[in-house]
Short mmCIF file of all heavy atoms in Angstrom, two decimals:
data_model
loop_
_atom_site.label_atom_id
_atom_site.label_comp_id
_atom_site.label_asym_id
_atom_site.label_seq_id
_atom_site.Cartn_x
_atom_site.Cartn_y
_atom_site.Cartn_z
N GLN A 277 14.07 9.43 0.48
CA GLN A 277 13.12 10.29 -0.08
C GLN A 277 12.26 9.61 -1.05
O GLN A 277 11.13 9.89 -1.24
CB GLN A 277 13.83 11.56 -0.79
CG GLN A 277 12.81 12.67 -1.35
CD GLN A 277 12.30 13.50 -0.14
OE1 GLN A 277 12.75 13.35 1.02
NE2 GLN A 277 11.22 14.13 -0.45
N SER A 278 12.93 8.69 -1.83
CA SER A 278 12.07 7.95 -2.94
C SER A 278 11.05 6.96 -2.28
O SER A 278 10.10 6.56 -2.98
CB SER A 278 13.07 7.20 -3.74
OG SER A 278 13.67 6.08 -2.98
N ALA A 279 11.14 6.57 -1.01
CA ALA A 279 10.15 5.79 -0.36
C ALA A 279 8.82 6.47 -0.35
O ALA A 279 7.76 5.79 -0.57
CB ALA A 279 10.61 5.43 1.06
N PHE A 280 8.73 7.89 -0.18
CA PHE A 280 7.42 8.49 -0.17
C PHE A 280 6.85 8.49 -1.56
O PHE A 280 5.67 8.27 -1.67
CB PHE A 280 7.59 9.90 0.35
CG PHE A 280 8.05 9.91 1.79
CD1 PHE A 280 9.43 10.11 2.14
CD2 PHE A 280 7.22 9.72 2.85
CE1 PHE A 280 9.87 10.18 3.48
CE2 PHE A 280 7.59 9.64 4.15
CZ PHE A 280 8.93 9.92 4.39
N HIS A 281 7.63 8.70 -2.56
CA HIS A 281 7.13 8.78 -3.89
C HIS A 281 6.69 7.34 -4.35
O HIS A 281 5.70 7.14 -5.07
CB HIS A 281 8.26 9.33 -4.87
CG HIS A 281 8.71 10.71 -4.51
ND1 HIS A 281 7.80 11.85 -4.54
CD2 HIS A 281 9.91 11.10 -4.02
CE1 HIS A 281 8.44 12.84 -4.23
NE2 HIS A 281 9.74 12.51 -3.88
N LEU A 282 7.54 6.35 -3.97
CA LEU A 282 7.16 4.94 -4.28
C LEU A 282 5.86 4.61 -3.58
O LEU A 282 4.87 3.91 -4.23
CB LEU A 282 8.23 3.95 -3.87
CG LEU A 282 8.10 2.52 -4.06
CD1 LEU A 282 8.00 2.22 -5.55
CD2 LEU A 282 9.28 1.77 -3.46
N PHE A 283 5.61 4.87 -2.39
CA PHE A 283 4.37 4.69 -1.67
C PHE A 283 3.15 5.35 -2.27
O PHE A 283 2.21 4.79 -2.57
CB PHE A 283 4.48 5.15 -0.17
CG PHE A 283 3.22 4.93 0.61
CD1 PHE A 283 2.97 3.67 1.04
CD2 PHE A 283 2.33 5.92 0.90
CE1 PHE A 283 1.71 3.41 1.83
CE2 PHE A 283 1.21 5.74 1.67
CZ PHE A 283 0.87 4.50 2.01
N GLY A 284 3.37 6.65 -2.73
CA GLY A 284 2.35 7.32 -3.43
C GLY A 284 1.93 6.60 -4.76
O GLY A 284 0.79 6.55 -5.04
N ALA A 285 3.00 6.25 -5.52
CA ALA A 285 2.66 5.55 -6.74
C ALA A 285 1.91 4.22 -6.51
O ALA A 285 0.95 3.90 -7.26
CB ALA A 285 4.04 5.20 -7.52
N CYS A 286 2.42 3.48 -5.44
CA CYS A 286 1.62 2.24 -5.19
C CYS A 286 0.20 2.48 -4.81
O CYS A 286 -0.65 1.76 -5.10
CB CYS A 286 2.43 1.45 -3.96
SG CYS A 286 3.97 0.83 -4.63
N MET A 287 -0.09 3.54 -4.00
CA MET A 287 -1.46 3.83 -3.56
C MET A 287 -2.28 4.19 -4.84
O MET A 287 -3.43 3.90 -4.91
CB MET A 287 -1.46 4.99 -2.57
CG MET A 287 -0.96 4.47 -1.17
SD MET A 287 -1.93 3.19 -0.42
CE MET A 287 -0.95 1.76 -0.73
N VAL A 288 -1.77 4.79 -5.79
CA VAL A 288 -2.48 5.29 -6.96
C VAL A 288 -2.86 4.02 -7.78
O VAL A 288 -3.91 3.80 -8.15
CB VAL A 288 -1.61 6.15 -7.89
CG1 VAL A 288 -2.32 6.31 -9.23
CG2 VAL A 288 -1.56 7.52 -7.32
N VAL A 289 -1.90 3.05 -7.89
CA VAL A 289 -2.13 1.72 -8.53
C VAL A 289 -3.22 0.98 -7.73
O VAL A 289 -4.13 0.41 -8.43
CB VAL A 289 -0.79 0.84 -8.57
CG1 VAL A 289 -1.13 -0.46 -9.09
CG2 VAL A 289 0.21 1.56 -9.50
N VAL A 290 -3.08 0.80 -6.45
CA VAL A 290 -4.11 0.06 -5.70
C VAL A 290 -5.41 0.69 -5.80
O VAL A 290 -6.49 0.03 -6.07
CB VAL A 290 -3.71 -0.02 -4.22
CG1 VAL A 290 -4.84 -0.49 -3.36
CG2 VAL A 290 -2.50 -0.95 -4.06
N SER A 291 -5.53 2.07 -5.81
CA SER A 291 -6.80 2.63 -5.89
C SER A 291 -7.47 2.45 -7.24
O SER A 291 -8.74 2.39 -7.30
CB SER A 291 -6.81 4.16 -5.49
OG SER A 291 -5.96 4.88 -6.48
N SER A 292 -6.66 2.42 -8.25
CA SER A 292 -7.24 2.19 -9.62
C SER A 292 -7.68 0.74 -9.83
O SER A 292 -8.57 0.48 -10.53
CB SER A 292 -6.18 2.43 -10.68
OG SER A 292 -5.11 1.59 -10.59
N ILE A 293 -7.18 -0.25 -8.93
CA ILE A 293 -7.53 -1.60 -9.01
C ILE A 293 -8.81 -1.82 -8.26
O ILE A 293 -9.75 -2.46 -8.80
CB ILE A 293 -6.50 -2.55 -8.56
CG1 ILE A 293 -5.27 -2.55 -9.39
CG2 ILE A 293 -6.96 -4.01 -8.30
CD1 ILE A 293 -4.09 -3.30 -8.86
#
Side-chain angles (χ1 to χ4, degrees):
Q277 185 75 14
S278 67
F280 297 102
H281 302 295
L282 181 62
F283 179 75
C286 288
M287 288 298 103
V288 168
V289 171
V290 168
S291 66
S292 67
I293 292 171

